[in-house]
Amino acid sequence: MTYPLFFGEPAAVRSARVGSVFVLGGDEGRHATTVRRLAPGERVDVADGAGFRLRGTVTDGSAGTLAVRVESAEQEQAPRQQLVLIQALAKGDRDEQAIEAATELGVDAVVPWQAERSIVRWRAEKAVKGQRKWEAVVAGAAKQSRRAWVPEVHPMLDSARLPAWSARFDRVFVLSETAGEGLARLAAGPSQGGTTAVIVGPEGGISERELLALQEAGAAAARLGPHVLRSSSAGPAALVLLNHVLGRW
C-alpha cells in the first residue's frame, strides 16, 4: 500500500531517525494540513527528492505544519538502467505534458531541447523561467506518483550542442517515423546498466540535418510503431516500452 508523499528539506529528511518526530513545514506542510487535511493517525511518506524516504504516522497537523512519528527511514536504490528523455519544446504545453507523464513512468532526467522546428522559443530569461517551470512539473508529478526520486531537469540545449552532449550516454535513440528499425528491437539485449536516452522532436518533426548530426554522434534512429504520435505522447510511449525491455518493470 502507498501513502501520500510530501517533500521535505533534504538535510532535515536525511537526519531524521526512527522513533523521532519529523516536522514538515513550508508549502508542503501547509498543503498537508489545509488542503489534504491530514489528521493524527494517518500514514504518510516524506522524501528528500533523491531517494531517501521517511515513512510514519501523523501525530499532529495544525498551524500549517505536519508532525510525523518516523517508523522507517531508508535510501531507495536507483535503477541500474537509467532513462533520460530529451524533449523538444512544443506549443500548447505538450512538452510539459510529456515530462509529467515521463516522471510518472519513472524517467530519471529530462532535457529541454530547442529544435530547429520548435515553435516555442526559450531566449535569455525565458530559458531560466522555462527550466524552473519544468522542475515544478516533474516535482509535482513525482509527488503525485509517490516517487522518492525527482528527475533532474537539465538546462536547455539547442541543436548545435545536442549531438555532442548526448554522446555521453551509453545508448541514444532518436524517434523517427522514417527509421527502419523499431525501438523494441534496437533496445533489446542483456541488461548491463548504464543510461539510455530517448530524443523526441517537436510538432514539425526532426529535420534531416538534425537527424544526421545525431546519428554521426552515435545515436540510432528508431520508430515506435505504424502511427505518428504527438510530441506529448511519443516520449512516454517510448519509456513504457523501455521500462519493459530493460527489465525496470
Side-chain angles (χ1 to χ4, degrees):
M1 182 176 180
T2 60
Y3 303 103
L5 179 140
F6 300 90
F7 290 110
E9 197 280 319
V13 172
R14 287 183 171 271
S15 64
R17 297 292 180 266
V18 174
S20 67
V21 174
F22 180 86
V23 178
L24 180 69
D27 292 340
E28 289 287 82
R30 285 188 290 275
H31 181 76
T33 56
T34 64
V35 179
R36 295 297 300 267
R37 297 184 182 278
L38 294 177
E42 295 190 73
R43 304 289 299 280
V44 297
D45 289 356
V46 180
D48 71 341
F52 198 86
R53 184 191 300 262
L54 306 177
R55 178 157 290 171
T57 301
V58 176
T59 59
D60 183 57
S62 59
T65 59
L66 191 74
V68 180
R69 176 72 65 181
V70 179
E71 297 168 0
S72 67
E74 59 182 9
Q75 174 68 44
E76 298 179 2
Q77 295 301 311
R80 290 181 62 250
Q81 294 276 1
Q82 295 280 295
L83 293 175
V84 175
L85 174 62
I86 299 173
Q87 174 67 48
L89 302 181
K91 65 179 182 180
D93 295 333
R94 293 194 185 281
D95 47 11
E96 293 177 12
Q97 294 172 29
I99 63 170
E100 180 179 54
T103 300
E104 295 173 9
L105 294 166
V107 78
D108 299 290
V110 296
V111 185
W113 169 36
Q114 188 164 284
E116 290 182 7
R117 296 173 179 169
S118 290
I119 296 174
V120 174
R121 294 281 158 177
W122 286 4
R123 294 187 176 91
E125 292 184 3
K126 194 170 183 180
V128 176
K129 292 180 179 178
Q131 184 178 350
R132 297 293 177 265
K133 179 68 179 296
W134 277 35
E135 290 172 346
V137 170
V138 299
K143 181 177 177 180
Q144 187 278 328
S145 55
R146 298 173 185 178
R147 288 184 60 180
W149 292 88
V150 177
E152 180 180 4
V153 178
H154 291 272
M156 184 198 72
L157 294 172
D158 57 22
S159 294
R161 293 183 294 161
L162 179 59
W165 190 90
S166 64
R168 70 179 62 189
F169 302 118
D170 298 281
R171 293 190 298 179
V172 180
F173 298 113
V174 187
L175 300 187
S176 172
E177 61 183 294
T178 63
E181 292 284 349
L183 179 60
R185 182 173 178 178
L186 289 172
S191 176
Q192 299 176 347
T195 301
T196 298
V198 177
I199 300 177
V200 178
E203 302 93 323
I206 298 174
S207 72
E208 292 184 8
R209 178 169 56 184
E210 289 172 323
L211 181 57
L212 179 60
L214 289 165
Q215 289 176 311
E216 289 178 343
R223 70 173 187 275
L224 279 174
H227 307 127
V228 177
L229 301 181
R230 290 183 182 275
S231 183
S232 58
S233 55
L239 291 171
V240 169
L241 188 152
L242 290 171
N243 272 315
H244 174 70
V245 171
L246 300 178
R248 286 172 46 118
W249 285 2

